[in-house]
Amino acid sequence: MPHILIVEDETIIRSALRRLLERNQYQVSEAGSVQEAQERYSIPGFDLIISDLRLPGAPGTELIKLAQGTPVLIMTSYASLRSAVDSMKMGAVDYIAKPFDHDEMLQAVARILKERQEAKSSPGERPAASRGGDKAPAANADGEIGIIGSCPAMLELYSKIRKVSPTDSTVLIQGESGTGKELVARALHNLSRRAKAPLISVNCAAIPETLIESELFGHEKGAFTGATAGRAGLVEAADGGTLFLDEIGELPLEAQARLLRVLQEGEIRRVGSVQSQKVDVRLIAATHRDLKTLAKTGQFREDLYYRLHVISLKLPALRERGNDVLEIARAFLARQCAQMGRENLRFATDAEQAIRHYNWPGNVRELENAIERAVILCESPDISADLLGIDIELDDLEDDDFNEAAAPSQGNNTAHEPTEDLSLEDYFQHFVLEHQDHMTETELARKLGISRKCLWERRQRLGIPRRKSGAAAGP
């Protein structure tokens, strides 16, 4: 059983991380500072050290020297991301931003421990060209890609990932928010010859516009107010590895010009510097926006768009993936049950129908959150549709389901009975306008087979005003 040391001064975070790791079969020790860790333990004896960057007394980076080769994973808030990059230059194996996602932490821990074990079993340095192949044997390529799903669109995506990964070509990943674009970027990196080098992930939408250039490209001392020392940027930190720019459509035009130089010349110039330096970085970008349209309207550099569009990978929305949604849901359920110590939970029939029929506008991220909520609230072995907390809208239901739900109203609505070519939205509008003066919102929702929340959302979208409070005589 791998032995992990957590060094974190915040008791709540330290305890939560300890429980998470212990539930996943790791032996865990903990300390609140570098000094306490030195006094209580032999630091090189651990398999992995997870430390906060900012600690009382010495910073977490001090553990890198004390560990004598034991990998150190640094935790940091986004505000100190540049310091985390500096810590990687000092020898940290990776960093993870707080508040961290449980799955992200477990994946990072498993990957670091696996690499440590491989290094122990193969003391000789392996050729760099073979490292990508070591990460992804062809016999188990789907598992190594780490993405669940077997619909035709995803099988095609896996094939492209395997073809593109060994190259240094720039890749543009397109897909809606929550579809898992970072998973694709990580797969491309892990299957490449750069797998042992850093993968630096940056959400361009999360960095203030005034800081984006210095964050990406670094700055020299005195370059602007508050620049008391020179710092390396995230592009420089990814030297030899992969830079993943998520939501690249949000990147300001000035930063786009600098990024174009990285792609064209393979060099960067820090803010405030007159000298350029070479970098060897593979760029993977992702966006949910139409960059081609943005380029035509001048909101995105056209020359950068064509540089990014060397290889384009389209990640389908969850609603387009057929039965994959149930496969993913079951995987999330198993993972949440393991993390929370729940056993033998399963989806009831109505929950499976809801999962299949729901539109999932938030995609995989929304599905994961719904299942986490259901596991927390479930008091029986069966997870019902209600526990998922989702609303099935009319156009998400099959025609038979809708006709059955609407049947009670048809006898009283012969004058406005929908024709065959009348859409469900038209029927919804007709029905609400016809009956809202003598039905409460609850009655309307029940007759239509939807929730009150769904009824309110459709009113807003279709511009149907809510009935006046005194219009109905009923309760």
Side-chain angles (χ1 to χ4, degrees):
M1 183 183 292
H3 194 179
I4 300 174
L5 172 64
I6 301 171
V7 185
E8 165 63 67
D9 60 318
E10 294 187 41
T11 307
I12 294 175
I13 295 176
R14 189 170 71 238
S15 299
L17 181 54
R18 175 173 191 150
R19 289 195 301 271
L20 173 67
L21 293 172
E22 287 179 339
R23 282 199 303 267
N24 286 271
Q25 310 306 311
Y26 296 112
Q27 182 182 351
V28 181
S29 298
E30 59 183 74
S33 66
V34 173
Q35 182 179 351
E36 183 184 349
Q38 283 182 281
E39 292 171 353
R40 294 180 61 185
Y41 309 110
S42 170
I43 293 176
F46 290 93
D47 296 294
L48 171 63
I49 298 167
I50 303 175
S51 175
D52 191 15
L53 180 61
R54 297 188 177 185
L55 294 166
T61 49
E62 285 296 309
L63 291 162
I64 298 170
K65 305 173 196 172
L66 299 171
Q68 299 178 22
T70 296
V72 178
L73 173 63
I74 292 291
M75 297 185 293
T76 176
S77 65
Y78 193 82
S80 57
L81 182 56
R82 286 178 297 181
S83 299
V85 173
D86 290 343
S87 72
M88 289 187 69
K89 288 185 170 293
M90 294 171 63
V93 67
D94 205 347
Y95 70 87
I96 192 167
K98 294 194 297 185
F100 54 81
D101 177 82
H102 283 189
D103 290 338
E104 183 184 4
M105 174 62 79
L106 291 173
Q107 288 168 8
V109 168
R111 173 176 52 80
I112 294 167
L113 290 173
K114 180 182 177 184
E115 290 172 357
R116 176 177 167 82
Q117 187 60 38
E118 287 175 350
K120 282 184 176 180
S121 59
S122 304
E125 181 66 23
R126 290 176 290 175
S130 70
R131 290 175 183 172
D134 292 334
K135 293 287 287 183
N140 192 28
D142 285 350
E144 291 293 337
I145 286 177
I147 304 174
I148 300 170
S150 55
C151 69
M154 293 304 291
L155 293 177
E156 183 181 352
L157 177 65
Y158 301 153
S159 175
K160 289 182 178 178
I161 289 174
R162 293 188 200 100
K163 290 176 182 176
V164 173
S165 294
T167 75
D168 277 339
S169 296
T170 302
V171 180
L172 178 63
I173 306 168
Q174 296 175 295
E176 296 178 7
S177 296
T179 49
K181 294 188 287 294
E182 186 163 358
L183 285 178
V184 175
R186 190 168 291 279
L188 289 166
H189 174 74
N190 288 342
L191 299 177
S192 75
R193 63 180 179 83
R194 299 172 180 266
K196 296 294 183 184
L199 168 64
I200 304 295
S201 299
V202 185
N203 187 334
C204 298
I207 306 176
E209 188 170 336
T210 53
L211 297 178
I212 188 74
E213 289 190 64
S214 63
E215 289 283 354
L216 286 177
F217 307 105
H219 64 262
E220 297 295 345
K221 180 179 179 180
F224 50 83
T225 304
T228 55
R231 283 193 181 275
L234 297 172
V235 177
E236 194 174 338
D239 191 18
T242 305
L243 177 68
F244 173 53
L245 296 182
D246 197 7
E247 299 301 347
I248 196 169
E250 311 302 323
L251 201 63
L253 290 171
E254 294 81 0
Q256 291 178 31
R258 284 181 176 267
L259 183 60
L260 184 63
R261 184 170 183 82
V262 174
L263 295 176
Q264 288 178 334
E265 309 296 336
E267 61 183 30
I268 61 168
R269 187 167 61 211
R270 293 184 181 183
V271 175
S273 174
V274 295
Q275 293 183 334
S276 297
Q277 61 186 93
K278 290 289 184 180
V279 288
D280 173 24
V281 172
R282 186 200 191 168
L283 179 65
I284 300 174
T287 182
H288 72 282
R289 305 182 69 182
D290 185 347
L291 294 187
K292 189 172 185 179
T293 300
L294 293 179
K296 288 180 179 177
T297 58
Q299 299 175 69
F300 197 85
R301 289 184 65 105
E302 193 169 17
D303 46 5
L304 178 57
Y305 168 71
Y306 288 115
R307 279 281 178 177
L308 293 174
H309 207 264
V310 178
I311 302 289
S312 179
L313 299 180
K314 172 68 175 173
L315 194 54
L318 191 55
R319 62 182 173 275
E320 299 168 354
R321 293 177 57 180
N323 289 332
D324 280 2
V325 65
L326 272 178
E327 186 182 352
I328 296 169
R330 289 174 183 137
F332 281 149
L333 177 59
R335 187 180 302 166
Q336 290 296 336
C337 287
Q339 289 178 2
M340 298 183 190
R342 303 291 302 271
E343 294 183 1
N344 302 321
L345 290 186
R346 60 182 180 269
F347 294 118
T349 303
D350 65 337
E352 291 195 348
Q353 290 175 347
I355 290 170
R356 280 200 306 266
H357 292 157
Y358 184 53
N359 204 36
W360 297 111
N363 291 294
V364 177
R365 188 179 295 121
E366 183 184 5
L367 173 62
E368 183 175 15
N369 291 340
I371 291 171
E372 180 179 357
R373 178 172 53 247
V375 171
I376 291 170
L377 299 177
C378 188
E379 297 178 352
S380 69
D382 291 334
I383 294 177
S384 65
D386 290 342
L387 287 176
L388 293 171
I390 58 178
D391 290 313
I392 309 300
E393 296 196 7
L394 293 178
D395 53 5
D396 296 324
L397 295 173
E398 294 178 351
D399 290 341
D400 290 344
D401 295 332
F402 172 75
N403 291 336
E404 182 180 344
S409 70
Q410 292 174 358
N412 298 326
N413 192 31
T414 54
H416 296 277
E417 188 169 353
T419 60
E420 289 184 1
D421 60 351
L422 193 63
S423 72
L424 294 179
E425 286 197 350
D426 290 336
Y427 179 77
F428 175 90
Q429 193 162 0
H430 276 270
F431 185 85
V432 171
L433 291 172
E434 179 72 16
H435 296 285
Q436 66 177 352
D437 289 338
H438 59 270
M439 283 187 184
T440 64
E441 294 294 285
T442 300
E443 290 170 336
L444 276 173
R446 187 169 62 248
K447 290 289 186 182
L448 288 165
I450 59 176
S451 68
R452 285 191 54 164
K453 179 175 178 248
C454 181
L455 173 62
W456 180 85
E457 288 173 344
R458 283 196 156 243
R459 279 186 180 277
Q460 298 299 307
R461 182 152 58 87
L462 297 175
I464 305 173
R466 191 168 183 170
R467 66 176 177 81
K468 301 296 183 184
S469 57

